[in-house]
């Protein structure tokens, strides 16, 4: 009788050991990734699972529960869902690209902070192209180098608001800090100086349905807050 109890205890003990061994050695085999454009799937896997230890399911679960705010260049936020002991889903939310400039036969795309995200030979992303800038320095992963912070902040204000109102702007032209224009469809929109940028672009958003099929010029440089029912003159191209 005692021998049977002893055998049962050892069976339970070894079963627990085997279970612990299995748990500690289960590895993530399937990684499903969504939302990434800048990074490849392979690069995302390398970021989150750089070695074999990180692929251990239990270790990965604990690590990603404790260290939830991994800082990744060009990524605003992310989420990891453990679908099973061997499968995870990673959702990537990249920092939005808001504009680009042409420099030495390449298009440099930058995010909402002015950080250069990538360099391509063509602008196929339908991202507003900024013209008229005096570019001082270019390093991918660093902020676009311009003459001063005021110019950079002005460009970012314009491009961020274009993104906010989801406007199909093809070009932003910087002549000087008080001569700013944007081009949308066949329309040139004069913004004037860098004051009230958000209000000016919101005004464009409000009136665009009435003029989007036209070709010409409109001056929104005087658009200000609380200018209700203000009329703006649209000049058609001859």
């Amino acid at each position: 009788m005692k021998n049977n109890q002893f055998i049962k205890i050892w069976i339970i003990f070894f079963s627990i050991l085997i279970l612990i061994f299995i748990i500690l050695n289960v590895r993530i085999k399937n990684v499903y990734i969504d939302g990434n454009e800048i990074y490849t799937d392979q690069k995302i896997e390398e970021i989150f699972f750089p070695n074999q230890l990180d692929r251990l399911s239990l270790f990965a679960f604990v690590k990603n529960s404790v260290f939830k705010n991994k800082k990744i260049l060009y990524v605003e936020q992310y989420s990891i869902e453990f679908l099973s002991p061997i499968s995870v889903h990673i959702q990537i939310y990249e920092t939005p690209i808001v504009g680009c400039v042409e420099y030495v036969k390449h298009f440099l795309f930058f995010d909402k902070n002015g950080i250069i995200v990538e360099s391509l030979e063509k602008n196929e992303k339908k991202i507003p192209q900024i013209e008229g800038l005096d570019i001082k320095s270019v390093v991918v992963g660093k902020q676009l180098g311009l003459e001063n912070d005021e110019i950079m902040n002005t460009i970012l204000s314009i491009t961020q608001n274009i993104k906010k109102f989801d406007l199909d702007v093809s070009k932003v032209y910087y002549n000087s800090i008080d001569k700013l224009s944007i081009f949308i469809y066949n329309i040139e929109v004069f913004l004037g100086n860098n004051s009230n940028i958000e209000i000016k672009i919101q005004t464009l958003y409000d009136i665009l349905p009435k003029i989007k099929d036209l070709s010409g010029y409109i001056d929104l440089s005087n658009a200000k807050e609380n200018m209700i029912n203000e009329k703006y003159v649209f000049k058609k191209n001859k």
Side-chain angles (χ1 to χ4, degrees):
M1 188 72 176
K2 288 183 179 181
N3 286 338
N4 288 338
Q5 289 180 340
F6 182 77
I7 292 171
K8 287 180 180 179
I9 291 172
W10 273 104
I11 290 173
I12 293 171
F13 176 74
F14 278 111
S15 297
I16 293 173
L17 285 179
I18 292 171
L19 182 61
I20 292 173
F21 178 81
I22 292 173
I23 292 173
L24 292 177
N25 285 275
V26 172
R27 296 181 180 276
I28 294 170
K29 296 180 179 179
N30 306 313
V31 181
Y32 306 103
I33 303 168
D34 288 312
N36 55 312
E37 291 185 7
I38 298 172
Y39 292 114
T40 62
D41 286 359
Q42 181 180 350
K43 184 61 179 178
I44 293 294
E45 281 200 51
E46 290 174 359
I47 290 172
F48 286 95
F49 308 108
N51 53 55
Q52 291 301 312
L53 178 62
D54 286 289
R55 282 194 173 269
L56 291 175
S57 299
L58 182 60
F59 182 83
F61 179 79
V62 172
K63 180 180 178 181
N64 286 287
S65 296
V66 175
F67 303 102
K68 293 182 178 180
N69 298 315
K70 179 192 288 286
K71 291 185 178 180
I72 306 170
L73 188 62
Y74 314 137
V75 175
E76 200 162 45
Q77 63 183 50
Y78 64 87
S79 63
I80 299 179
E81 181 184 4
F82 287 81
L83 305 175
S84 73
I86 63 170
S87 301
V88 299
H89 173 253
I90 302 175
Q91 179 66 50
I92 298 294
Y93 301 93
E94 294 178 340
T95 304
I97 295 174
V98 297
C100 74
V101 294
E102 188 173 7
Y103 185 78
V104 194
K105 297 183 179 180
H106 279 74
F107 290 93
L108 308 174
F109 296 86
F110 58 87
D111 66 15
K112 64 178 184 179
N113 299 310
I115 305 298
I116 300 173
V117 173
E118 61 182 336
S119 172
L120 300 175
E121 292 184 357
K122 296 181 180 180
N123 180 9
E124 297 179 340
K125 295 178 178 289
K126 295 184 179 180
I127 297 295
Q129 182 177 338
I130 320 301
E131 296 184 358
L133 296 175
D134 183 9
I135 299 173
K136 299 297 184 182
S137 64
V138 168
V139 180
V140 175
K142 300 291 184 180
Q143 190 177 64
L144 180 66
L146 301 180
E147 290 180 74
N148 56 60
D149 290 342
E150 184 181 15
I151 297 173
M152 186 79 257
N153 292 335
T154 297
I155 296 302
L156 292 179
S157 178
I158 294 172
T159 52
Q160 287 172 16
N161 278 288
I162 289 171
K163 187 81 173 179
K164 176 182 177 180
F165 291 100
D166 195 26
L167 296 174
D168 294 326
V169 171
S170 59
K171 183 171 69 174
V172 176
Y173 186 73
Y174 176 90
N175 188 14
S176 67
I177 205 69
D178 58 353
K179 292 182 180 179
L180 303 165
S181 297
I182 61 177
F183 294 79
I184 181 168
Y185 307 123
N186 293 311
I187 302 168
E188 178 182 357
V189 183
F190 183 63
L191 302 179
N193 60 31
N194 61 350
S195 65
N196 300 314
I197 290 295
E198 182 175 2
I199 294 170
K200 293 172 183 176
I201 293 180
Q202 183 173 1
T203 300
L204 172 62
Y205 174 81
D206 292 338
I207 65 176
L208 191 61
K210 299 177 182 178
I211 63 173
K212 64 181 297 184
D213 294 326
L214 304 176
S215 177
Y217 169 93
I218 188 167
D219 185 348
L220 298 183
S221 60
N222 292 319
K224 297 178 183 177
E225 197 171 4
N226 299 322
M227 293 180 69
I228 301 173
N229 298 323
E230 181 70 18
K231 294 183 179 180
Y232 300 95
V233 178
F234 182 89
K235 297 180 179 179
K236 291 184 179 181
N237 289 332
K238 295 179 180 181

